[in-house]
Coordinates of all heavy atoms in Angstrom, one line a residue:
M1 N 104.7 123.6 87.6 CA 104.7 122.2 87.7 C 104.2 121.8 89.1 O 104.4 122.5 90.1 CB 106.2 121.7 87.6 CG 106.3 120.2 87.5 SD 108.0 119.6 87.2 CE 108.2 120.0 85.5
E2 N 103.4 120.7 89.2 CA 102.8 120.3 90.4 C 103.9 119.7 91.4 O 104.9 119.2 91.0 CB 101.8 119.2 90.1 CG 100.6 119.7 89.4 CD 99.5 118.7 89.2 OE1 99.9 117.5 88.9 OE2 98.4 119.0 89.4
T3 N 103.5 119.8 92.7 CA 104.4 119.3 93.7 C 103.9 117.8 93.9 O 102.8 117.5 94.1 CB 104.2 120.1 95.0 OG1 104.7 121.4 94.8 CG2 105.1 119.4 96.1
V4 N 104.9 116.9 93.9 CA 104.7 115.5 94.1 C 105.1 115.1 95.5 O 106.1 115.5 96.0 CB 105.5 114.6 93.1 CG1 105.3 113.2 93.3 CG2 105.1 115.0 91.6
G5 N 104.2 114.4 96.2 CA 104.5 113.8 97.5 C 104.7 112.4 97.3 O 104.0 111.7 96.6
L6 N 105.8 111.9 98.0 CA 106.1 110.4 97.9 C 106.2 109.9 99.3 O 107.1 110.3 100.1 CB 107.3 110.2 97.1 CG 107.8 108.7 97.0 CD1 106.7 107.9 96.3 CD2 109.1 108.7 96.1
I7 N 105.4 108.9 99.7 CA 105.5 108.2 101.0 C 106.1 106.9 100.8 O 105.5 106.1 100.0 CB 104.0 108.1 101.6 CG1 103.4 109.5 101.7 CG2 104.1 107.4 102.9 CD1 101.9 109.5 102.0
G8 N 107.2 106.6 101.4 CA 107.8 105.3 101.3 C 109.1 105.4 100.4 O 109.0 105.5 99.2
L9 N 110.2 105.4 101.1 CA 111.5 105.5 100.3 C 112.4 104.3 100.4 O 113.6 104.3 100.7 CB 112.3 106.8 100.9 CG 111.6 108.1 100.7 CD1 112.3 109.2 101.5 CD2 111.5 108.4 99.2
G10 N 111.7 103.1 100.2 CA 112.5 101.9 100.2 C 113.1 101.7 98.9 O 113.4 102.6 98.2
N11 N 113.3 100.4 98.5 CA 114.0 100.2 97.2 C 113.3 100.8 96.0 O 113.9 101.5 95.2 CB 114.1 98.7 97.0 CG 115.1 98.0 97.9 OD1 116.0 98.6 98.4 ND2 114.8 96.7 98.2
M12 N 112.0 100.6 95.9 CA 111.3 101.2 94.8 C 111.1 102.7 94.9 O 111.3 103.5 94.0 CB 109.9 100.5 94.6 CG 109.2 101.0 93.3 SD 107.5 100.3 93.2 CE 107.9 98.6 92.7
G13 N 110.7 103.1 96.1 CA 110.4 104.5 96.4 C 111.6 105.4 96.2 O 111.5 106.5 95.7
S14 N 112.8 104.9 96.6 CA 114.0 105.7 96.5 C 114.3 105.9 95.0 O 114.7 107.0 94.6 CB 115.2 105.0 97.2 OG 115.0 105.0 98.6
G15 N 114.1 104.9 94.2 CA 114.3 105.1 92.8 C 113.4 106.1 92.2 O 113.7 106.9 91.3
M16 N 112.1 106.0 92.6 CA 111.1 106.9 92.1 C 111.5 108.3 92.5 O 111.4 109.3 91.7 CB 109.7 106.5 92.6 CG 109.2 105.2 92.1 SD 107.8 104.6 93.0 CE 106.6 105.9 92.9
A17 N 111.8 108.5 93.7 CA 112.2 109.9 94.2 C 113.4 110.4 93.5 O 113.4 111.6 93.1 CB 112.5 109.8 95.7
G18 N 114.4 109.6 93.3 CA 115.6 110.1 92.5 C 115.2 110.5 91.1 O 115.7 111.5 90.6
N19 N 114.4 109.7 90.4 CA 113.9 110.1 89.1 C 113.1 111.3 89.0 O 113.2 112.1 88.1 CB 113.2 108.9 88.4 CG 114.2 107.8 88.0 OD1 115.3 108.0 87.8 ND2 113.7 106.6 88.0
L20 N 112.2 111.5 90.0 CA 111.4 112.7 90.1 C 112.3 113.9 90.3 O 112.1 115.0 89.6 CB 110.4 112.6 91.2 CG 109.2 111.6 90.9 CD1 108.5 111.3 92.2 CD2 108.3 112.2 89.9
L21 N 113.3 113.8 91.1 CA 114.2 115.0 91.3 C 115.0 115.3 90.0 O 115.1 116.4 89.7 CB 115.2 114.7 92.5 CG 114.5 114.8 93.9 CD1 115.5 114.3 94.9 CD2 114.1 116.2 94.2
K22 N 115.5 114.2 89.4 CA 116.2 114.4 88.1 C 115.4 115.1 87.1 O 115.9 115.8 86.3 CB 116.7 113.0 87.6 CG 117.9 112.5 88.3 CD 118.3 111.1 87.7 CE 119.2 110.3 88.6 NZ 119.4 109.0 88.2
A23 N 114.1 114.8 87.1 CA 113.2 115.3 86.1 C 112.8 116.8 86.4 O 112.1 117.4 85.6 CB 111.9 114.4 85.9
G24 N 113.2 117.2 87.6 CA 112.9 118.6 88.0 C 111.6 118.9 88.7 O 111.2 120.0 88.9
Y25 N 111.0 117.8 89.2 CA 109.8 118.0 90.0 C 110.0 118.5 91.4 O 111.1 118.2 92.0 CB 109.0 116.6 90.1 CG 108.3 116.2 88.9 CD1 108.9 115.5 87.9 CD2 106.9 116.7 88.7 CE1 108.2 115.1 86.8 CE2 106.3 116.3 87.5 CZ 106.9 115.5 86.6 OH 106.2 115.2 85.4
S26 N 109.1 119.3 91.9 CA 109.1 119.7 93.3 C 108.7 118.5 94.0 O 107.6 118.0 93.8 CB 108.2 120.9 93.5 OG 108.1 121.2 94.8
L27 N 109.5 118.0 95.0 CA 109.2 116.7 95.7 C 109.2 116.9 97.2 O 110.1 117.5 97.7 CB 110.2 115.7 95.3 CG 110.1 114.3 95.8 CD1 108.8 113.6 95.3 CD2 111.3 113.5 95.5
V28 N 108.1 116.3 97.8 CA 108.0 116.3 99.3 C 108.0 114.8 99.6 O 107.3 114.0 99.0 CB 106.7 116.9 99.8 CG1 106.6 116.9 101.3 CG2 106.5 118.3 99.2
V29 N 108.9 114.4 100.6 CA 109.0 113.0 100.9 C 108.7 112.7 102.4 O 108.9 113.6 103.2 CB 110.4 112.5 100.6 CG1 110.7 112.5 99.1 CG2 111.5 113.2 101.3
H30 N 108.3 111.4 102.6 CA 108.1 111.0 104.0 C 108.4 109.5 104.0 O 108.1 108.7 103.1 CB 106.7 111.2 104.5 CG 106.5 110.8 105.9 ND1 106.9 111.5 106.9 CD2 105.9 109.7 106.4 CE1 106.7 110.9 108.1 NE2 106.0 109.8 107.8
D31 N 109.1 109.1 105.1 CA 109.4 107.7 105.4 C 109.6 107.5 106.9 O 109.8 108.5 107.6 CB 110.7 107.3 104.7 CG 110.9 105.8 104.6 OD1 110.5 105.2 103.6 OD2 111.5 105.2 105.5
L32 N 109.4 106.3 107.3 CA 109.6 106.0 108.8 C 111.0 106.1 109.2 O 111.3 106.2 110.4 CB 109.0 104.6 109.1 CG 107.5 104.5 109.0 CD1 107.1 103.0 109.3 CD2 106.8 105.4 109.9
R33 N 111.9 106.1 108.2 CA 113.4 106.2 108.5 C 113.9 107.6 108.3 O 114.1 108.0 107.1 CB 114.2 105.2 107.7 CG 113.7 103.7 108.0 CD 114.2 102.7 107.0 NE 113.7 103.1 105.7 CZ 114.3 102.9 104.5 NH1 115.5 102.3 104.5 NH2 113.8 103.3 103.4
P34 N 114.1 108.4 109.3 CA 114.5 109.8 109.2 C 115.8 110.0 108.4 O 116.0 111.0 107.7 CB 114.7 110.3 110.6 CG 114.2 109.3 111.5 CD 114.0 108.0 110.7
E35 N 116.7 109.0 108.5 CA 118.0 109.2 107.8 C 117.8 109.1 106.2 O 118.5 109.8 105.5 CB 119.0 108.1 108.2 CG 118.6 106.7 107.8 CD 117.7 106.0 108.8 OE1 117.1 106.6 109.7 OE2 117.4 104.7 108.6
V36 N 116.8 108.4 105.8 CA 116.5 108.3 104.3 C 115.9 109.6 103.9 O 116.2 110.2 102.8 CB 115.6 107.1 104.0 CG1 115.3 107.1 102.5 CG2 116.3 105.8 104.4
V37 N 115.0 110.2 104.7 CA 114.3 111.4 104.4 C 115.4 112.5 104.3 O 115.4 113.4 103.4 CB 113.2 111.8 105.4 CG1 112.7 113.2 105.2 CG2 112.1 110.7 105.4
R38 N 116.3 112.5 105.3 CA 117.4 113.5 105.3 C 118.3 113.4 104.0 O 118.7 114.5 103.5 CB 118.3 113.4 106.5 CG 117.7 113.9 107.8 CD 118.7 114.0 108.9 NE 119.2 112.7 109.3 CZ 118.7 111.9 110.3 NH1 117.6 112.3 110.9 NH2 119.2 110.8 110.5
D39 N 118.5 112.2 103.6 CA 119.3 112.0 102.4 C 118.6 112.7 101.2 O 119.3 113.4 100.4 CB 119.5 110.5 102.1 CG 120.3 110.3 100.8 OD1 121.3 110.9 100.6 OD2 119.8 109.5 100.0
F40 N 117.3 112.5 101.0 CA 116.6 113.1 99.9 C 116.4 114.6 100.1 O 116.4 115.4 99.1 CB 115.3 112.4 99.6 CG 115.5 111.2 98.8 CD1 115.5 109.9 99.4 CD2 115.7 111.2 97.5 CE1 115.8 108.8 98.7 CE2 115.9 110.1 96.7 CZ 115.9 108.9 97.3
A41 N 116.3 115.1 101.3 CA 116.3 116.5 101.6 C 117.6 117.2 101.1 O 117.6 118.2 100.5 CB 116.0 116.8 103.0
A42 N 118.7 116.5 101.4 CA 120.0 117.0 101.0 C 120.1 117.0 99.4 O 120.9 117.8 98.9 CB 121.1 116.1 101.5
R43 N 119.3 116.2 98.7 CA 119.4 116.2 97.3 C 118.3 117.1 96.6 O 118.2 117.2 95.4 CB 119.1 114.8 96.8 CG 120.2 113.8 97.2 CD 119.9 112.4 97.0 NE 119.6 112.1 95.6 CZ 119.2 110.9 95.2 NH1 119.0 109.9 96.0 NH2 118.9 110.7 93.9
G44 N 117.6 117.9 97.5 CA 116.6 118.8 97.0 C 115.2 118.6 97.2 O 114.3 119.5 96.9
A45 N 114.8 117.5 97.9 CA 113.4 117.2 98.2 C 113.1 118.0 99.5 O 114.0 118.3 100.3 CB 113.2 115.7 98.4
R46 N 111.8 118.2 99.7 CA 111.4 118.8 101.0 C 111.0 117.6 101.9 O 110.2 116.8 101.5 CB 110.2 119.7 100.7 CG 109.7 120.4 102.0 CD 108.7 121.5 101.6 NE 108.2 122.1 102.8 CZ 107.3 123.1 102.8 NH1 106.9 123.6 101.7 NH2 106.9 123.6 104.0
A47 N 111.5 117.7 103.1 CA 111.1 116.6 104.1 C 109.8 117.0 104.8 O 109.6 118.2 105.2 CB 112.2 116.5 105.2
S48 N 108.9 116.1 104.9 CA 107.6 116.4 105.6 C 107.7 115.9 107.0 O 108.4 114.9 107.3 CB 106.4 115.7 104.9 OG 106.5 114.3 104.9
A49 N 107.0 116.6 107.9 CA 107.0 116.2 109.3 C 106.1 115.0 109.6 O 106.3 114.3 110.6 CB 106.6 117.4 110.2
S50 N 105.1 114.8 108.7 CA 104.2 113.6 108.9 C 103.5 113.4 107.6 O 103.7 114.1 106.6 CB 103.1 114.0 109.9 OG 102.3 115.0 109.4
V51 N 102.8 112.3 107.5 CA 102.0 112.0 106.3 C 101.0 113.1 106.1 O 100.8 113.5 104.9 CB 101.4 110.6 106.4 CG1 100.4 110.3 105.3 CG2 102.4 109.5 106.5
A52 N 100.4 113.5 107.1 CA 99.4 114.6 106.9 C 100.0 115.9 106.4 O 99.5 116.6 105.6 CB 98.7 114.9 108.3
D53 N 101.2 116.2 106.9 CA 102.0 117.4 106.4 C 102.3 117.2 104.9 O 102.1 118.1 104.1 CB 103.3 117.5 107.2 CG 104.1 118.7 106.8 OD1 103.5 119.8 106.6 OD2 105.3 118.6 106.7
L54 N 102.7 116.0 104.5 CA 103.0 115.7 103.1 C 101.7 115.9 102.2 O 101.7 116.6 101.2 CB 103.5 114.3 102.9 CG 103.8 113.9 101.5 CD1 105.1 113.1 101.4 CD2 102.7 113.2 100.8
A55 N 100.6 115.4 102.7 CA 99.3 115.5 102.0 C 98.9 117.0 101.8 O 98.3 117.3 100.8 CB 98.2 114.7 102.7
R56 N 99.2 117.8 102.8 CA 98.9 119.2 102.6 C 99.8 119.9 101.6 O 99.3 120.9 101.0 CB 99.0 119.9 104.0 CG 97.8 119.7 104.9 CD 97.9 120.6 106.2 NE 99.1 120.3 107.0 CZ 99.1 119.3 107.9 NH1 98.0 118.6 108.1 NH2 100.2 119.1 108.6
L57 N 101.0 119.5 101.5 CA 102.0 120.2 100.7 C 101.9 119.7 99.2 O 102.4 120.4 98.3 CB 103.4 120.0 101.2 CG 103.7 120.6 102.6 CD1 105.0 120.1 103.1 CD2 103.7 122.1 102.5
A58 N 101.4 118.5 99.0 CA 101.5 117.9 97.6 C 100.2 118.1 96.8 O 99.1 118.0 97.4 CB 101.8 116.4 97.8
D59 N 100.4 118.2 95.5 CA 99.3 118.2 94.6 C 98.9 116.8 94.2 O 97.8 116.5 93.9 CB 99.6 119.0 93.3 CG 99.9 120.5 93.7 OD1 99.1 121.1 94.3 OD2 101.0 121.0 93.3
V60 N 100.0 116.0 94.1 CA 99.8 114.6 93.7 C 100.5 113.7 94.8 O 101.6 114.1 95.2 CB 100.5 114.3 92.3 CG1 100.5 112.8 92.0 CG2 99.8 115.2 91.3
T61 N 99.9 112.7 95.3 CA 100.5 111.8 96.3 C 100.7 110.4 95.8 O 99.8 109.8 95.2 CB 99.6 111.8 97.5 OG1 99.3 113.1 98.0 CG2 100.2 110.9 98.6
L62 N 102.0 110.0 95.9 CA 102.3 108.6 95.5 C 102.8 107.9 96.7 O 103.3 108.5 97.6 CB 103.5 108.6 94.5 CG 103.3 109.4 93.2 CD1 104.6 109.4 92.4 CD2 102.2 108.8 92.4
T63 N 102.5 106.6 96.8 CA 103.0 105.8 97.9 C 103.8 104.6 97.3 O 103.4 104.1 96.2 CB 101.9 105.2 98.8 OG1 101.0 104.5 98.0 CG2 101.2 106.3 99.5
S64 N 104.8 104.2 98.0 CA 105.6 103.0 97.6 C 105.7 102.2 98.9 O 106.7 102.4 99.6 CB 106.9 103.4 97.0 OG 107.6 102.3 96.6
L65 N 104.7 101.4 99.2 CA 104.6 100.7 100.5 C 104.5 99.2 100.3 O 104.2 98.8 99.2 CB 103.4 101.3 101.2 CG 103.4 102.8 101.5 CD1 102.1 103.3 102.0 CD2 104.5 103.1 102.5
P66 N 104.9 98.5 101.3 CA 105.0 97.0 101.2 C 103.7 96.3 100.8 O 103.7 95.3 100.1 CB 105.4 96.5 102.5 CG 106.0 97.7 103.2 CD 105.3 98.9 102.6
G67 N 102.5 96.8 101.2 CA 101.3 96.1 100.9 C 100.0 96.9 101.3 O 100.1 98.0 101.7
P68 N 98.9 96.2 101.1 CA 97.6 96.9 101.3 C 97.4 97.4 102.7 O 96.8 98.5 102.9 CB 96.6 95.9 100.9 CG 97.3 94.6 100.9 CD 98.7 94.9 100.6
A69 N 97.8 96.7 103.7 CA 97.6 97.1 105.1 C 98.4 98.4 105.3 O 97.8 99.3 106.0 CB 98.1 96.1 106.0
E70 N 99.6 98.6 104.8 CA 100.3 99.8 105.0 C 99.7 101.0 104.2 O 99.6 102.1 104.7 CB 101.8 99.6 104.5 CG 102.6 98.7 105.4 CD 102.4 97.2 105.1 OE1 101.7 96.9 104.2 OE2 102.9 96.4 105.9
V71 N 99.2 100.7 103.0 CA 98.5 101.7 102.2 C 97.3 102.2 102.9 O 97.1 103.4 103.1 CB 98.2 101.2 100.8 CG1 97.3 102.2 100.0 CG2 99.4 100.9 100.0
E72 N 96.5 101.3 103.4 CA 95.2 101.7 104.1 C 95.6 102.5 105.4 O 94.9 103.4 105.7 CB 94.4 100.4 104.5 CG 93.8 99.8 103.2 CD 93.0 98.5 103.6 OE1 93.1 98.0 104.7 OE2 92.4 98.0 102.7
A73 N 96.6 102.0 106.1 CA 96.9 102.7 107.4 C 97.4 104.2 107.1 O 97.0 105.1 107.8 CB 98.0 101.9 108.1
V74 N 98.2 104.3 106.1 CA 98.7 105.7 105.7 C 97.6 106.6 105.2 O 97.6 107.7 105.6 CB 99.9 105.6 104.7 CG1 100.2 106.9 104.0 CG2 101.1 105.0 105.3
A75 N 96.7 106.0 104.5 CA 95.6 106.8 103.9 C 94.5 107.0 104.9 O 93.5 107.8 104.5 CB 95.1 106.1 102.6
G76 N 94.5 106.4 106.0 CA 93.4 106.5 106.9 C 92.1 105.8 106.4 O 91.0 106.2 106.8
G77 N 92.3 104.8 105.7 CA 91.2 104.0 105.1 C 90.6 103.1 106.1 O 90.7 103.3 107.3
P78 N 90.1 101.9 105.6 CA 89.4 101.0 106.4 C 90.3 100.5 107.6 O 89.7 100.2 108.7 CB 89.1 99.8 105.5 CG 89.1 100.4 104.1 CD 90.1 101.5 104.2
G79 N 91.6 100.4 107.5 CA 92.4 99.9 108.6 C 92.7 101.1 109.5 O 92.5 102.2 109.2
R80 N 93.1 100.7 110.7 CA 93.5 101.7 111.7 C 94.9 102.3 111.4 O 95.7 101.6 110.9 CB 93.6 101.1 113.1 CG 92.2 100.5 113.5 CD 91.5 101.5 114.4 NE 90.4 100.8 114.9 CZ 89.2 101.5 115.0 NH1 89.1 102.7 114.6 NH2 88.2 100.9 115.5
A81 N 95.0 103.6 111.7 CA 96.3 104.2 111.4 C 97.3 103.7 112.5 O 97.0 103.5 113.6 CB 96.2 105.7 111.6
P82 N 98.5 103.4 112.0 CA 99.5 102.9 112.9 C 100.0 104.0 113.9 O 99.7 105.2 113.7 CB 100.7 102.5 112.0 CG 100.5 103.3 110.8 CD 99.0 103.5 110.7
R83 N 100.7 103.6 115.0 CA 101.1 104.6 115.9 C 102.0 105.7 115.3 O 101.9 106.9 115.7 CB 102.0 103.9 117.0 CG 101.2 103.0 117.9 CD 102.1 102.3 118.9 NE 103.0 101.5 118.1 CZ 103.5 100.3 118.4 NH1 103.1 99.8 119.6 NH2 104.3 99.6 117.6
Q84 N 102.7 105.4 114.3 CA 103.6 106.4 113.7 C 102.8 107.5 113.0 O 103.3 108.6 112.7 CB 104.6 105.8 112.6 CG 105.5 104.7 113.2 CD 104.9 103.3 113.1 OE1 103.7 103.1 113.1 NE2 105.7 102.3 113.0
H85 N 101.6 107.2 112.5 CA 100.8 108.1 111.8 C 99.4 108.2 112.5 O 98.4 107.8 111.9 CB 100.6 107.7 110.3 CG 101.9 107.4 109.7 ND1 102.8 108.4 109.4 CD2 102.4 106.3 109.2 CE1 103.9 107.9 108.8 NE2 103.7 106.7 108.7
A86 N 99.4 108.8 113.6 CA 98.1 108.9 114.4 C 97.1 109.7 113.7 O 95.9 109.5 113.9 CB 98.4 109.5 115.8
E87 N 97.5 110.7 112.9 CA 96.5 111.6 112.3 C 95.9 110.9 111.1 O 96.6 110.2 110.4 CB 97.1 112.9 111.9 CG 98.2 112.9 110.9 CD 99.6 112.7 111.5 OE1 100.0 111.6 111.7 OE2 100.2 113.8 111.7
R88 N 94.6 111.1 110.8 CA 94.0 110.6 109.6 C 94.4 111.5 108.4 O 94.5 112.7 108.6 CB 92.5 110.6 109.8 CG 91.7 110.0 108.6 CD 90.2 110.0 109.0 NE 89.5 109.6 107.9 CZ 89.3 108.3 107.5 NH1 89.8 107.3 108.2 NH2 88.5 108.0 106.4
V89 N 94.7 110.9 107.3 CA 95.2 111.6 106.2 C 94.2 111.7 105.1 O 93.5 110.8 104.7 CB 96.4 110.9 105.6 CG1 96.9 111.5 104.3 CG2 97.5 110.8 106.6
R90 N 94.0 113.0 104.6 CA 93.3 113.2 103.3 C 94.3 113.3 102.3 O 95.1 114.3 102.3 CB 92.4 114.4 103.4 CG 91.6 114.6 102.2 CD 90.8 115.9 102.3 NE 90.2 116.1 101.0 CZ 90.8 116.9 100.0 NH1 92.0 117.4 100.2 NH2 90.2 117.1 98.9
L91 N 94.4 112.4 101.3 CA 95.4 112.5 100.3 C 95.2 113.6 99.4 O 94.1 114.2 99.3 CB 95.4 111.2 99.5 CG 95.8 109.9 100.3 CD1 95.6 108.7 99.5 CD2 97.2 110.0 100.8
G92 N 96.2 114.0 98.6 CA 96.1 115.1 97.7 C 95.1 114.7 96.6 O 94.3 113.8 96.7
R93 N 95.1 115.5 95.5 CA 94.1 115.4 94.5 C 94.1 114.0 93.8 O 93.2 113.5 93.2 CB 94.2 116.4 93.4 CG 93.8 117.8 93.9 CD 93.9 118.8 92.8 NE 95.3 119.1 92.5 CZ 95.7 119.5 91.4 NH1 94.9 119.8 90.4 NH2 97.0 119.8 91.1
Y94 N 95.3 113.4 93.8 CA 95.4 112.1 93.2 C 96.3 111.2 94.0 O 97.3 111.7 94.6 CB 96.0 112.3 91.8 CG 96.3 111.0 91.0 CD1 95.3 110.3 90.4 CD2 97.6 110.6 90.9 CE1 95.6 109.2 89.7 CE2 97.9 109.4 90.3 CZ 96.9 108.7 89.7 OH 97.1 107.5 89.0
H95 N 96.0 109.9 94.0 CA 96.9 109.0 94.8 C 97.1 107.8 93.9 O 96.3 107.3 93.2 CB 96.2 108.5 96.1 CG 96.9 107.4 96.7 ND1 96.4 106.1 96.6 CD2 98.0 107.4 97.5 CE1 97.3 105.3 97.2 NE2 98.2 106.0 97.8
D96 N 98.4 107.3 94.0 CA 98.7 106.1 93.2 C 99.6 105.2 94.1 O 100.6 105.7 94.7 CB 99.4 106.4 91.9 CG 99.6 105.2 91.1 OD1 98.7 104.3 91.1 OD2 100.6 105.1 90.4
Q97 N 99.4 103.9 94.1 CA 100.3 103.0 94.7 C 100.8 102.1 93.6 O 100.1 101.2 93.1 CB 99.6 102.1 95.8 CG 100.3 100.9 96.2 CD 101.5 101.2 97.1 OE1 101.7 102.2 97.7 NE2 102.4 100.2 97.1
P98 N 102.0 102.3 93.1 CA 102.5 101.6 91.9 C 102.6 100.1 92.2 O 103.0 99.7 93.3 CB 103.9 102.2 91.7 CG 104.3 102.9 92.9 CD 103.0 103.2 93.7
A99 N 102.4 99.3 91.2 CA 102.5 97.9 91.2 C 101.8 97.2 92.4 O 102.3 96.3 93.0 CB 104.0 97.5 91.2
D100 N 100.6 97.8 92.7 CA 99.8 97.3 93.8 C 99.3 95.9 93.5 O 98.4 95.7 92.6 CB 98.7 98.2 94.1 CG 98.0 97.9 95.4 OD1 98.2 96.8 96.0 OD2 97.2 98.7 95.9
P101 N 99.8 94.8 94.1 CA 99.3 93.5 93.8 C 97.9 93.2 94.4 O 97.4 92.1 94.1 CB 100.3 92.6 94.5 CG 100.8 93.4 95.6 CD 100.8 94.8 95.2
H102 N 97.4 94.1 95.1 CA 96.1 93.9 95.8 C 95.1 95.1 95.4 O 94.9 95.9 96.3 CB 96.2 93.8 97.3 CG 97.2 92.8 97.7 ND1 97.0 91.4 97.7 CD2 98.5 92.9 98.1 CE1 98.0 90.8 98.0 NE2 99.0 91.6 98.3
P103 N 94.6 95.2 94.2 CA 93.8 96.4 93.8 C 92.6 96.7 94.7 O 92.3 97.8 94.9 CB 93.4 96.0 92.4 CG 94.2 94.9 92.0 CD 94.8 94.2 93.2
P104 N 91.9 95.7 95.3 CA 90.8 96.1 96.1 C 91.2 97.0 97.3 O 90.5 97.9 97.7 CB 90.3 94.7 96.7 CG 90.7 93.8 95.6 CD 92.0 94.3 95.1
A105 N 92.4 96.8 97.9 CA 92.8 97.7 98.9 C 93.1 99.1 98.4 O 92.7 100.1 99.1 CB 94.1 97.2 99.6
G106 N 93.7 99.2 97.3 CA 93.9 100.5 96.7 C 92.6 101.2 96.3 O 92.5 102.4 96.5
A107 N 91.6 100.4 95.9 CA 90.4 101.0 95.5 C 89.6 101.6 96.7 O 88.7 102.4 96.6 CB 89.5 100.0 94.8
A108 N 89.9 101.1 97.9 CA 89.2 101.5 99.1 C 89.7 102.8 99.7 O 89.1 103.3 100.6 CB 89.3 100.4 100.2
I109 N 90.7 103.3 99.2 CA 91.3 104.5 99.7 C 90.5 105.7 99.3 O 90.2 105.9 98.1 CB 92.8 104.7 99.3 CG1 93.6 103.6 99.8 CG2 93.3 106.0 99.7 CD1 95.0 103.5 99.3
P110 N 90.1 106.6 100.2 CA 89.4 107.8 99.8 C 90.2 108.7 99.0 O 91.4 108.9 99.3 CB 89.0 108.5 101.2 CG 89.9 107.9 102.2 CD 90.4 106.5 101.6
R111 N 89.7 109.2 97.9 CA 90.4 110.1 97.0 C 89.9 111.5 97.1 O 88.8 111.8 97.2 CB 90.4 109.6 95.6 CG 91.2 108.3 95.5 CD 91.2 107.8 94.1 NE 92.2 106.8 93.8 CZ 92.3 105.6 94.2 NH1 91.4 105.2 95.0 NH2 93.2 104.8 93.8

């Protein structure tokens, strides 16, 4: 089974992470809030040190982020990477941003 990487453990991302763990997937997680990452690590997920670390460990990368600016920043796309993610990220073999209300931003992410 492929390893799934999930960036963003807010309301939607936490639910996704919980369901992936219940389904038996190998899961690597990252969030700006270390306490949330620790919670999922205690439930069986692997905590990543950075977005770049997650991208190296995952076969499939999912994001659950607030909007296109955050997606672009995490992916190292057209926008500048935020201070929290200074390294440019090359996403795994596949990337998906669920329920993205701004498809052009998602389409600009290098795959």
Side-chain angles (χ1 to χ4, degrees):
M1 190 174 285
E2 292 183 317
T3 298
V4 177
L6 179 58
I7 302 167
L9 298 170
N11 290 333
M12 184 184 289
S14 290
M16 291 167 55
N19 287 332
L20 288 164
L21 287 172
K22 284 180 198 171
Y25 282 90
S26 173
L27 181 64
V28 182
V29 295
H30 184 75
D31 194 90
L32 294 177
R33 298 165 301 147
E35 66 278 6
V36 178
V37 173
R38 282 192 299 270
D39 177 51
F40 278 98
R43 294 170 58 186
R46 182 171 178 178
S48 67
S50 66
V51 171
D53 183 44
L54 180 141
R56 282 189 295 275
L57 296 169
D59 298 306
V60 175
T61 303
L62 303 173
T63 58
S64 181
L65 300 167
E70 291 81 7
V71 173
E72 289 175 356
V74 165
R80 300 262 185 224
R83 289 177 298 218
Q84 300 93 331
H85 306 297
E87 64 269 89
R88 184 173 171 84
V89 175
R90 180 180 171 274
L91 295 172
R93 289 185 290 157
Y94 177 76
H95 169 260
D96 186 37
Q97 167 69 22
D100 187 349
H102 307 282
I109 296 170
R111 290 179 164 72

